[in-house]
C-alpha cells in the first residue's frame, strides 16, 4: 500500500543575505533593459522595502530578468510590494512542500520491503531516510550540472519519484509502517501557506510572470530546506536550519496537511478530493493509534481505504480554498 503525505518549508534569513538580494533602484533611474544589474543599485525601491524572510530568500535566487520583471510590476502599480512578497513566499513554501512529497515517495519506493514488513523500528527508518536524502542530494547535483536536456530530464524525473513500487500497490496484507516525520504535527508554517499568499501567486501569474521559471529557480532551495525539515523531524544531523514563518496563523491556512494512503488495488482510480478529505483525515487519525516509536506508527493494510491518486493535491484538508483546482493550480510542474 502506498503512503503519501501531502504537504504543499527555510533557512533563517541573515541581514547580509537579505540585503544582497533586495531591488535597490527606483524606476526613474534605470538606464538598462528590464532585469539588468543596473536596477539593483542606487536607492531602495518599493519592492525592496517589502521583501523579508522567505520572499527575500526567493528573490535572491531569481535571475536579473526575473527580478526586473517583479520590480516593474510594483513600480507600475500593477502589484504592491506586499503582494509580491506574499507570492514569492508561497512559491518557496510550494517548492519545499513538493520536495517533501517527492522525498516521501522516493523513501517509500526505495524502502518498500522495510515498510511493508511491518517490523521497522525508529533507527531503521531514520537510517532509511538518511539514505534517501543522500540520494536526492546527489540527484540535485546531477540536475544542476547536466549539460543537455536529456540529462536534466532524467535527473528531474528521478527526483519526482512518481513510479510506484509494486510492493506498495495495496494488495498485500498485514501492517505497513508509516514514518511520521513526513507528516509533522499540525500545520508547519514553513510549508503551509495562506489564501492571501496563494491569491498573490495567482495574480503574479495573471500578469504574465512565468511561475514555472520561478519554481525552477527555487527548486534547489526547496530541496535543501525540505531535507533540513525532515532531518529535524527525524532527529538526523543537519547543517541547515529552516526558520518558522512568524507571520503564519493556522486559522488562515489554505490546507492542513495529513498523510494520504492509496486504496487496495486502486492504483488506477481517482477520487474527488472534495468528497474524500474529511474521510481520509478521520481514517488517518484513527490509524495512527498504534505508535511504535518516535515519529513512527503502523496501520492495518487490510482496512478499506479511500484512494486519492493525485498525492500532491490530495494530502491536504482544504480550508479557505473551496475548489480543489485552486491547490492544483499552485503545484510545481517539474
Amino acid at each position: 500500500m502506498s503512503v503519501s503525505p501531502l504537504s504543499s518549508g527555510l533557512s533563517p534569513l541573515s541581514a547580509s543575505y537579505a540585503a544582497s538580494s533586495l531591488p535597490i533602484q527606483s524606476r526613474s533611474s534605470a538606464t538598462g533593459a528590464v532585469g539588468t544589474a543596473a536596477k539593483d543599485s542606487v536607492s531602495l525601491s518599493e519592492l525592496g522595502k517589502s521583501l523579508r524572510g522567505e520572499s527575500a530568500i526567493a528573490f535572491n535566487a531569481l535571475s536579473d530578468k526575473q527580478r526586473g520583471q517583479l520590480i516593474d510590476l510594483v513600480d507600475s502599480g500593477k502589484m504592491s510590494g506586499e503582494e509580491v512578497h506574499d507570492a514569492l513566499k508561497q512559491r518557496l513554501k510550494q517548492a519545499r512542500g513538493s520536495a517533501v512529497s517527492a522525498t516521501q515517495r522516493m523513501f517509500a519506493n526505495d524502502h518498500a520491503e522495510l515498510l511493508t514488513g511491518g517490523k521497522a523500528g525508529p533507527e531503521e527508518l531514520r537510517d532509511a531516510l538518511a539514505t534517501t536524502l543522500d540520494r536526492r542530494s546527489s540527484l540535485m547535483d546531477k540536475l544542476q550540472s547536466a549539460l543537455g536536456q536529456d540529462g536534466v530530464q532524467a535527473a528531474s524525473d528521478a527526483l519526482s519519484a512518481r513510479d510506484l513500487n509494486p510492493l506498495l500497490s495495496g494488495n498485500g496484507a498485514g501492517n505497513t509502517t508509516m514514518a511520521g516525520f513526513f507528516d509533522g504535527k499540525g500545520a508547519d508554517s514553513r510549508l503551509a501557506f495562506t489564501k492571501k499568499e496563494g491569491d498573490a501567486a495567482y495574480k503574479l501569474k495573471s500578469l504574465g510572470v512565468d511561475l514555472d521559471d520561478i519554481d525552477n529557480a527555487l527548486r534547489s532551495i526547496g530541496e535543501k530546506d525540505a531535507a533540513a525539515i525532515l532531518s529535524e523531524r527525524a532527529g538526523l544531523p543537519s547543517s541547515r536550519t529552516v526558520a518558522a514563518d512568524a507571520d503564519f496563523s493556522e486559522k488562515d491556512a489554505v490546507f492542513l496537511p495529513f498523510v494520504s494512503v492509496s486504496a487496495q488495488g486502486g492504483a488506477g482510480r481517482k477520487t474527488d478530493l472534495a468528497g474524500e478529505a474529511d474521510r481520509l483525515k478521520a481514517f488517518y487519525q484513527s490509524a495512527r493509534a498504534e505508535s511504535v516509536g518516535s515519529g513512527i506508527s503502523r496501520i492495518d493494510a487490510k482496512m478499506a481505504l479511500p484512494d486519492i491518486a493525485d498525492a500532491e493535491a490530495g494530502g491536504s484538508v482544504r480550508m479557505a480554498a473551496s475548489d480543489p483546482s485552486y491547490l492544483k493550480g499552485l503545484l510545481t510542474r517539474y
Side-chain angles (χ1 to χ4, degrees):
M1 99 187 300
S2 133
V3 182
S4 299
L6 274 286
S7 306
S8 42
L10 261 200
S11 308
L13 178 67
S14 67
S16 60
Y17 188 52
S20 69
S21 68
L22 299 182
I24 51 175
Q25 180 184 10
S26 65
R27 188 179 182 84
S28 61
S29 58
T31 57
V34 172
T36 62
K39 295 197 98 179
D40 288 341
S41 62
V42 185
S43 62
L44 191 65
S45 72
E46 189 62 34
L47 176 56
K49 297 174 185 177
S50 300
L51 295 179
R52 59 195 180 275
E54 288 99 334
S55 68
I57 293 173
F59 189 86
N60 188 68
L62 302 181
S63 67
D64 286 344
K65 180 179 179 180
Q66 291 169 321
R67 294 183 191 187
Q69 189 176 18
L70 298 181
I71 294 170
D72 280 350
L73 287 176
V74 174
D75 288 350
S76 67
K78 294 179 180 178
M79 288 188 76
S80 69
E82 279 299 308
E83 286 177 319
V84 173
H85 159 74
D86 285 337
L88 290 178
K89 179 192 283 191
Q90 192 281 324
R91 294 326 290 167
L92 185 48
K93 289 186 176 185
Q94 193 75 52
R96 295 168 178 164
S98 293
V100 168
S101 294
T103 302
Q104 190 279 334
R105 292 192 297 270
M106 182 178 287
F107 173 87
N109 283 330
D110 289 356
H111 306 288
E113 187 171 347
L114 175 67
L115 298 175
T116 56
K119 296 181 180 180
E123 291 304 319
E124 291 172 296
L125 288 180
R126 273 190 283 271
D127 289 345
L129 176 62
T131 299
T132 297
L133 294 179
D134 285 344
R135 182 187 173 200
R136 294 191 67 80
S137 178
S138 176
L139 284 169
M140 276 303 302
D141 289 343
K142 290 181 179 180
L143 178 69
Q144 294 176 314
S145 62
L147 298 178
Q149 183 57 37
D150 289 346
V152 169
Q153 192 62 53
S156 182
D157 289 346
L159 282 163
S160 296
R162 296 193 180 279
D163 293 332
L164 181 68
N165 188 314
L167 289 176
L168 302 173
S169 65
N171 294 320
N175 289 328
T176 296
T177 302
M178 300 177 69
F181 36 72
F182 290 107
D183 173 39
K185 303 296 182 183
D188 191 326
S189 68
R190 300 168 295 184
L191 301 171
F193 57 88
T194 67
K195 180 67 160 51
K196 182 164 72 81
E197 291 161 0
D199 288 349
Y202 271 115
K203 184 172 182 179
L204 203 63
K205 182 178 181 179
S206 73
L207 291 171
V209 175
D210 191 330
L211 293 189
D212 291 347
D213 282 351
I214 288 181
D215 291 343
N216 285 328
L218 300 182
R219 187 172 189 176
S220 177
I221 297 176
E223 191 70 36
K224 292 175 182 177
D225 285 347
I229 290 170
L230 292 172
S231 295
E232 173 193 302
R233 292 176 177 177
L236 292 171
S238 175
S239 61
R240 193 179 186 92
T241 302
V242 182
D245 178 1
D247 297 327
F248 177 79
S249 174
E250 187 169 301
K251 67 180 177 61
D252 298 323
V254 170
F255 64 88
L256 292 176
F258 62 93
V259 173
S260 99
V261 191
S262 69
Q264 275 190 315
R269 295 183 296 136
K270 289 189 177 181
T271 302
D272 183 5
L273 172 61
E276 296 295 336
D278 290 338
R279 283 178 54 199
L280 188 53
K281 182 181 180 184
F283 163 77
Y284 174 61
Q285 289 174 336
S286 64
R288 291 196 60 183
E290 185 190 352
S291 178
V292 296
S294 175
I296 301 168
S297 302
R298 292 197 182 114
I299 64 172
D300 184 351
K302 292 178 288 186
M303 294 179 66
L305 309 178
D307 175 41
I308 293 182
D310 186 345
E312 288 186 281
S316 324
V317 177
R318 288 172 295 103
M319 296 177 65
S322 58
D323 185 347
S325 64
Y326 183 89
L327 290 177
K328 286 177 178 274
L330 292 172
L331 294 176
T332 57
R333 296 195 295 175
Y334 42 65

